[in-house]
Amino acid sequence: MEKKILAVISYDGSKFYGMQKQPGKKTVQGEIEKALLKLNIDSKVEHAGRTDRGVHALNQVVAFSVQSFWNTEKLQKVLNNIVHPYIHIKKIREVHQDFNPRFDAKKRSYRYLISSNFTPFNADYVTFYDKKINAQLIKNSLKILEGRHDFEYFAKTGSEVNSYVREIYKTDFFKYKNFYVFKIVGNGFLRGQIRIIVDFLLKINENILSTEDLKIQLNKEKLISKHLAPPNGLYLERIWY
């Protein structure tokens, strides 16, 4: 007999080629599956969303199956002994067999950090940005994205999805200590969507683009800019079920 386990994990994305398993590459999914195999648990690890190379997670959700004799508290401890220091299992619990971390998710939040104070010690975790910040302009621009829209022009080229329609529930942009933080909450996100949005808004901040350009691209009247902001400032913050 087997039981299904939900685990909430955090990881340092700078140490991996993304979340999703890839042949010959060190990934978060691959490392967890290898750790499970060391415990004679042969299970595929499902995840709530694949983060790109260099992108971090504070509360990613994964699921896998284990033999029914496993005590969840002990399993968490022994797995952390194997996957540390760049992956940490924060919580672990049993769920029903048909639970799917990706399709059962109700909403997700991401944050993106920028700072003008460069140090080599946060280079992998914050995007260095030395231009003057117009916080109100960025905040107002973010508000334009709230609601239900077709975000095809804000997705990585080659994204294979049935629909590009997503709903953004809430956005914010604020200063915290030496950092500026973008926060976006939605029902789901396309590949590269947050990074394309951040790059677009920073260009608005520099007067390279305008809020009118943002509306034009959002309405799919014209593709104006589809560049990705660097991955190191991006964090998968939380997932709700």
Side-chain angles (χ1 to χ4, degrees):
M1 284 287 290
E2 288 191 333
K3 58 185 179 184
K4 196 158 194 180
I5 297 296
L6 174 155
V8 179
I9 67 169
S10 56
Y11 51 83
D12 176 349
S14 68
K15 305 297 188 288
F16 303 98
Y17 280 80
M19 174 74 214
Q20 189 159 300
K21 198 171 177 181
Q22 298 177 58
K25 299 281 174 74
K26 186 178 181 182
T27 67
V28 179
Q29 180 186 6
E31 290 304 296
I32 296 173
E33 287 184 2
K34 280 199 281 185
L36 289 169
L37 273 175
K38 285 183 179 179
L39 304 175
N40 294 316
I41 301 167
D42 186 5
S43 173
K44 184 185 176 187
V45 171
E46 301 168 340
H47 49 81
R50 60 182 188 186
T51 52
D52 288 337
R53 180 183 179 183
V55 175
H56 316 287
L58 303 175
N59 293 285
Q60 169 76 274
V61 176
V62 299
F64 48 86
S65 297
V66 302
Q67 297 95 329
S68 56
F69 61 77
W70 272 105
N71 170 279
T72 51
E73 194 176 316
K74 184 181 179 185
L75 179 63
Q76 180 178 353
K77 190 173 181 179
V78 293
L79 277 175
N80 272 332
N81 284 339
I82 301 169
V83 299
H84 276 183
Y86 303 118
I87 302 171
H88 177 62
I89 297 167
K90 300 169 78 171
K91 295 177 191 172
I92 201 166
R93 65 182 171 90
E94 190 176 344
V95 287
H96 52 83
Q97 282 293 340
D98 57 354
F99 171 76
N100 185 293
R102 180 183 171 194
F103 297 113
D104 290 349
K106 298 289 187 285
K107 62 178 180 176
R108 300 167 166 85
S109 66
Y110 280 85
R111 66 172 69 161
Y112 193 98
L113 305 184
I114 61 173
S115 177
S116 60
N117 296 326
F118 177 81
T119 93
F121 308 107
N122 69 12
D124 285 335
Y125 311 104
V126 181
T127 294
F128 178 62
Y129 183 78
D130 62 354
K131 309 290 191 299
K132 188 176 179 183
I133 299 283
N134 184 336
Q136 197 57 53
L137 176 62
I138 292 176
K139 208 169 191 175
N140 292 344
S141 301
L142 271 170
K143 290 289 175 195
I144 293 167
L145 298 166
E146 290 182 3
R148 190 176 172 83
H149 303 283
D150 183 328
F151 284 100
E152 183 177 358
Y153 286 6
F154 290 90
K156 261 187 179 180
T157 305
S159 298
E160 293 177 15
V161 291
N162 295 325
S163 170
Y164 290 97
V165 175
R166 299 290 185 273
E167 185 169 0
I168 291 181
Y169 302 126
K170 185 182 176 186
T171 62
D172 201 2
F173 182 75
F174 56 92
K175 190 172 186 183
Y176 175 75
K177 296 184 178 178
N178 291 324
F179 309 104
Y180 277 98
V181 183
F182 292 83
K183 182 165 178 174
I184 304 180
V185 183
N187 64 350
F189 295 95
L190 301 161
R191 285 198 68 206
Q193 183 179 345
I194 304 290
R195 290 166 61 194
I196 291 167
I197 286 170
V198 168
D199 180 80
F200 205 111
L201 295 184
L202 291 177
K203 284 173 178 165
I204 290 174
N205 179 68
E206 296 166 44
N207 293 316
I208 296 168
L209 298 175
S210 67
T211 52
E212 196 55 41
D213 291 327
L214 183 64
K215 290 173 186 173
I216 288 167
Q217 181 155 317
L218 187 61
N219 293 330
K220 292 177 67 176
E221 294 169 37
K222 184 183 176 185
L223 178 57
I224 296 167
S225 177
K226 208 177 185 182
H227 295 110
L228 293 158
N232 48 306
L234 183 58
Y235 294 76
L236 171 55
E237 183 180 48
R238 187 179 169 191
I239 301 166
W240 287 263
Y241 291 92

